[in-house]
Amino acid sequence: MYKVLLIIKLGLHIIFKCNVLKTLYVNFKMLRFKEARKLPLWIYGKMSFRSLKGKIIIDSPIYPGMIRIGRKDWYVTTNISQSIWTINGVLKFKGKLNIYHGSYIVVSNNGYLEIGTNGTFIGSNSKLLCFDKIIIGNHVEITWECQMIDTSFHYIEQLENNKIPPLTKPIVISDNCWIGNRTTISKGTYLPKYSIVASNSLVNKEFRNVGEYHMFAGLPAIPKIRCKRIYDKEEEKELDLKYNYDRTHL
């Protein structure tokens, strides 16, 4: 009986909340039938698939609605509601994930984009442009209007030595990172675990040897202080009382 009710509930959710046609299309277009029939990818709102010549891989037990794309973000809502994707390379999901409305994702023919789980989300109006390799770890919070681009698009000759560097270089965002709003992460970036990136920063360097628990800020970003985010909800409530902070959900 419980399974029947659950199936009915999921069916009603898809019919009344999701973009039914795009949900069916992307699942059965990009996944094997035994995976697609479980409808792991749920599409919300307007969604444009400019190309789906590549491959989507779900490296995790599959269940309905585990990856939700285009939902409205209760915290930040804007007029940009359409999500636009071009998947010509490989897009791998490691598990449950929310990608909020207005995402712009490009994975080129030679690109490999891997997105983690366990609390990882991509905020509204964010852009991921992958022409080489972008790895996003587990429990990575990418807030709104962020962009990650692993290419410089145009060749630039260094006149002092006539060298022309390659256009691309991988980006790696390790586990438990927090990326502030309107941050740009460029090619060659490596962020260690538990990194915090302040809003409006530009990160364009490899910080592999800096170590964990650092805040990065600036244009370009540099490590400022060693710190960590408070995740414990009870401790958070105590601090709210201490500092008279009203945690209103916008």
Side-chain angles (χ1 to χ4, degrees), residues 141-157:
E141 299 185 11
I142 301 171
T143 57
W144 62 93
E145 298 177 13
C146 297
Q147 56 182 9
M148 293 187 190
I149 307 172
D150 68 357
T151 178
S152 51
F153 292 107
H154 305 288
Y155 290 105
I156 297 174
E157 182 179 0

Side-chain angles (χ1 to χ4, degrees), residues 49-243:
F49 295 110
R50 290 183 174 171
S51 176
L52 292 176
K53 297 178 181 178
K55 180 185 296 186
I56 289 179
I57 299 170
I58 301 177
D59 185 16
S60 162
I62 292 177
Y63 57 90
M66 60 185 293
I67 298 161
R68 304 191 180 194
I69 302 159
R71 298 175 74 187
K72 290 288 185 179
D73 185 348
W74 59 264
Y75 201 76
V76 181
T77 300
T78 70
N79 292 326
I80 302 174
S81 59
Q82 185 179 32
S83 300
I84 302 174
W85 284 25
T86 299
I87 310 300
N88 288 338
V90 176
L91 170 56
K92 178 184 281 190
F93 297 111
K94 300 291 285 184
K96 182 181 178 181
L97 177 70
N98 275 308
I99 301 177
Y100 290 101
H101 70 284
S103 63
Y104 183 85
I105 295 180
V106 175
V107 185
S108 76
N109 294 338
N110 299 320
Y112 175 84
L113 172 59
E114 180 179 301
I115 307 176
T117 186
N118 295 340
T120 290
F121 70 83
I122 297 171
S124 59
N125 304 338
S126 291
K127 299 177 176 65
L128 300 177
L129 278 66
C130 176
F131 288 75
D132 183 0
K133 182 184 291 185
I134 298 178
I135 307 292
I136 299 170
N138 296 320
H139 201 184
V140 173
E141 299 185 11
I142 301 171
T143 57
W144 62 93
E145 298 177 13
C146 297
Q147 56 182 9
M148 293 187 190
I149 307 172
D150 68 357
T151 178
S152 51
F153 292 107
H154 305 288
Y155 290 105
I156 297 174
E157 182 179 0
Q158 300 171 356
L159 296 180
E160 69 273 11
N161 55 22
N162 300 119
K163 290 184 178 180
I164 303 176
L167 291 180
T168 65
K169 199 170 183 181
I171 291 172
V172 177
I173 311 298
S174 302
D175 296 347
N176 300 291
C177 289
W178 180 21
I179 311 298
N181 63 297
R182 294 176 179 165
T183 289
T184 294
I185 296 180
S186 297
K187 68 177 189 178
T189 293
Y190 183 100
L191 283 176
K193 292 181 179 179
Y194 299 99
S195 294
I196 298 173
V197 180
S199 63
N200 292 287
S201 294
L202 165 65
V203 189
N204 62 356
K205 292 182 176 63
E206 183 176 312
F207 294 107
R208 190 184 302 269
N209 297 323
V210 168
E212 301 175 357
Y213 297 105
H214 274 86
M215 175 178 284
F216 299 86
L219 295 168
I222 57 173
K224 296 287 186 179
I225 57 172
R226 295 200 74 234
C227 60
K228 69 174 183 177
R229 180 175 170 178
I230 304 299
Y231 283 105
D232 184 84
K233 294 300 181 183
E234 293 304 315
E235 185 176 0
E236 186 178 66
K237 288 178 182 178
E238 292 175 4
L239 290 168
D240 286 347
L241 289 173
K242 177 180 179 180
Y243 294 111

